Amino acid sequence: MKGWVYVVEEQRGLSAFVTIEPEIDRLFWLDAEFQMGIRTTVESVNRIGRRAGAIEGGEWIRSDEKSVGAVKDARKAGIRENGATGNEEVELYGGGGKTEANGEAAKNGITEMNAGQLWMVDSPLALGIAVRAADLWEERFGIGKVKAKERAAGQSGDSAVGKQGGFSDAANEIKQCVALAIKEADAGLERNDAAAAPITAAAAAVPIRHIQADRSPRGAAARTARRAEALAAAALAAAGAMQGRALLHSEAHALLAAAGASRPGGASWNAVLQLAALLGRLRLRSAIAVVAEPRRWGVLAQALGRPRRRCRCKRCGSGEARMRRTPCAACGRMCAYCEACIGMGRARECSLLLLGGAAAPLRRSSPLPQETRLRRWGLSPAQLEAAGQALACIEAPSPMTTSSKQPSSPLTTTQSPFPYSPQLLSPSITRSPYSWSKHPSKQTQRVFMLWAVTGAGKTEMIFPLIESVLLRGGRALVATPRRDVVLELDPRIRKAFPGAGVVTLYGGSEQRWEQGEITLATTHQLLRFEGSFELVIIDELDAFPFHGDPVLHYAADKVCALHGAKVLLTATPPAELRRDARRGRLPYARVPVRYHGHPLPVPVILRIPAIKEVLHNAKLPAKLVKVVLQSVERGAQLFLFVQRIRHVDPLVRLLRTLHTGIIIEGTSSQDPQRGDKVQRFRRREIRLLVTTTILERGVTVPRSDVFILDADEKLFDDASLIQMAGRAGRSADDPHGKVYFCSPSRSRSQASAIRQIMMMNRTADKKGYLINSRKGIFKWRF
Amino acid sequence: MAVLEPFLKQLKQSGSIMFSLLRPAYSNCRLCGRSMKPIVRAETYADASYARYQLPIIPELCESCNRSIAWIKDVRCLICGRAVHCDDCIRRVDAGFIWNRSAVRYDSVMRSWLANYKYQGQEHLEPLLIDMLEPMFKQMTTELISRLNIKVKPRRYKYMPDILTGFDQMKHHAAACWDIVTYVPISEERASERGFNQAQRLAAGLARRYGLPIASLLLRTRHTTRQSFKTRLERLRDTRMLFTAEPAAAALLTSIYTDKYSHASTFFTLEKQPLRVLLVDDIYTTGSTANSCAITLHACSGITLELYVLTWARS
Ligand SMILES: [Zn+2]
Ligand SMILES: [Zn+2]
Ligand SMILES: [Zn+2]
Ligand SMILES: [Zn+2]
């Protein structure tokens, strides 16, 4: 889409802005009646907000589920999101007494909304270029350029002279910025070179319009004011619905339509969004932004090579390698789009990315002591200890809260004297705090790893963490790479937090555009959020596709609020996390024992030929037959894991020749009846299931034994082996399931898996978590 | 010259061997991303039955992706290009175009491929769709040439192999057969939302490969809602006045016409010769869109047009 750039003379001086609906900007800055209307709405919303804040505060002292409900109601009324002037900031940044001052500053700000004049580039630009031009302006001059000049000229009274000097070249300067942005986009030049190159000719061709405030009295004043009132209310409501979101233009429309947002007087969505941006509640950016990267190559390369401009996707953090440039009918240029996140809608250079403001910061105080809160979830001693450590970590003050040099974030958290000035669009704040590949909030986030063995009861352990954030007025997210885990978690979370709004997100979810205190989502859905959750819990972070996908890692970082906490849940942390934990860089807690207090079954190694050979000879090795029959005898459910899909069916046929009298089936990712077969396996209709690693996680069947064939193959790493072994002995009535690693040779990952399992058992034993603990029975076998 | 022929033949073969050496032994399927051996002949497929049907093979796709293409092998309805017999075309009265040919049946797999390209904007699929359009384009061209007895410029060096002279027979056939390629337009609103016109991209890709002239001759005047939500009658009514001719269309067609027939003998000019126009679109549902385009084109200039439609999918 297209955008317009303009420079406006406002209270701070001259600033450059981007707009998608220039008429709204003209009214906002130059029309007194329109401003009056906006002021009325904002003041009334602030009043309500203050009152609600007071009620909320009182309610918190009691801090039970009821209070969670109260916040929910307040949120529903759009109060916390919309009326976020005084309260929250004051509470965090200044403590009590400042409220009055803040309110006054706000009032002052309102009067200053009156701008004298603006210079608008009179032709629409591709949005990416418009945003870049405004950024370039800010890079050169900062905010309040003229103010500084004025001061330099002396406060001796004749400020008009100083102003005149500043203003005469405002038009020229924005022209230059536009020309520069276009040139950068066209030639792929980097900024330093571009600045040196002559662009005066191109700049001269940029059409510009000088608009001044119309002070003549008009008839329709009251109507304009009423229209502005309604529009401002709609804008604030829209911004409230979009809080914490990062949405493409079409997604924003869908969300607003789903949220039942109004468009008073037939105004366009763009008008509503633009006003929300001017009020500082939304940020409008281009989905793919040009990033200035220093050139690394030598002089020769600089002379010869024509550097391409580097783009980065603002939604998923992907760099130039994932960009594809095609001619674009929307902006009429060669326009890059991001291939990495295209599954969630196409992000183009000229497409709009709307960033809803971040939530207000959390209250620091927790009303009840941690122990009391931990007690009520009925955790086992091992769970209790780990959950307690995690809780202490996430409730500790953020490492950077006291620092004054925080990266600026959306308005609700900045201490702004002018709560609805359009500073969000203004580049000093939009100058993104992102260092791109690593999201900025990474520096202020706290991260904690919960390393819990398979079957330890991870879900129960996250309940007190979620509760802690809800009690402090925040929002929690539980993300997992796997959709079935999301669906399984949903009822449990709803049951644990009956008073809270739970939103479950996955591809095709019906709650796609809803907001709630607790969000359950597949990791891909995180791309649609930014800075919105004070607590982010990532379950099974080592599972496909999260593990090894930088896009999803980026997403997990960016959805976490600036001072939020991230909790990683895993049974098998990847090597780099284990290393960080060992070196003390990553706080973590281990839960070495299952919820039923029995040790993990230690895998037994069985030397048999490779499965390929077995199938070729059409004869099952006697050793294998013996243990399989033993398991069948004891009435267990048998998992047989193989590596390759093509081995499944022949193996099923071969096993059926044993005539054990049980039903034997096979399944794989390409089996359309997979779900059905798993259900039948659970119901014990199928007793032996040959499967590929698709059932490595998540499927819990009581009384099961696990056989891993070709366990020495490299597709089975130690994490995968531990996960598969973790299918055995899950239930309390049959805690001693059998696990066999069947292979012709012993591999390093087998050894590592067995070592890790033994280590967990030893730790559990040492800490006295095991039932019938007999110290020292677990010895190193490797 | 005849002596040289075996030698040249060998040269040609060695050339193709060299090409195959330059090609990497393994690549990734453009669609599913699985690594695969590039397959040029169907005989190398694990299931030999694929070769029996003599279906086209897209070399950049793996075997299973190639198999999922719902090629229209037998055109049963010679008017709308359907793979099954149809009654609609018998009722046809206000025919604007002569026939339609489609590359594939619009089944669920094809639907998802097109959706990925068209709605999701995975533009890297574009060359693939053009690849898939090509066999039907060739078939259509060959058929027309033999039916209408179109004269094709003969090869200049009879004994030189094509690889050396750069002679591409199909290109010459196409150039002799088609006077201009055009496409179904989309509304400006749709274009800015989607970023591209899929029909234009397909047409342009085809025209570039065969060196054919391409022109935008039509404009869409109204923005209609999605066709799939309407009944057949509604659709027919809706598409009636959907298009207008591009302002420059008449002049363009006239200039092509004079270009074509200025050198012809008086015998031919006396007879009113038509221009053969290929209209490209991504999908053919009832033919109302193509028909509406065709009627507009016929009306825009005094020149007789023979309109043929080529679509990627036939639903
Ligand atoms: Zn992206
Ligand atoms: Zn574009
Ligand atoms: Zn494939
Ligand atoms: Zn037909």
Side-chain angles (χ1 to χ4, degrees), chain B residues 77-82 84-90 284 314:
Chain B
C77 177
L78 291 177
I79 290 168
C80 69
R82 227 172 172 179
V84 290
H85 175 77
C86 72
D87 295 323
D88 291 352
C89 297
I90 299 165
Y284 182 104
R314 175 73 176 92

Side-chain angles (χ1 to χ4, degrees), chain A residues 328 331 335 348 350:
Chain A
C328 169
C331 66
C335 185
R348 290 209 86 127
C350 67

Side-chain angles (χ1 to χ4, degrees), chain B residues 156-171:
Chain B
R156 199 182 294 165
Y157 307 106
K158 210 173 159 194
Y159 295 106
M160 289 281 266
D162 295 347
I163 195 169
L164 290 183
T165 57
F167 180 88
D168 187 342
Q169 195 173 19
M170 207 54 229
K171 260 191 183 172

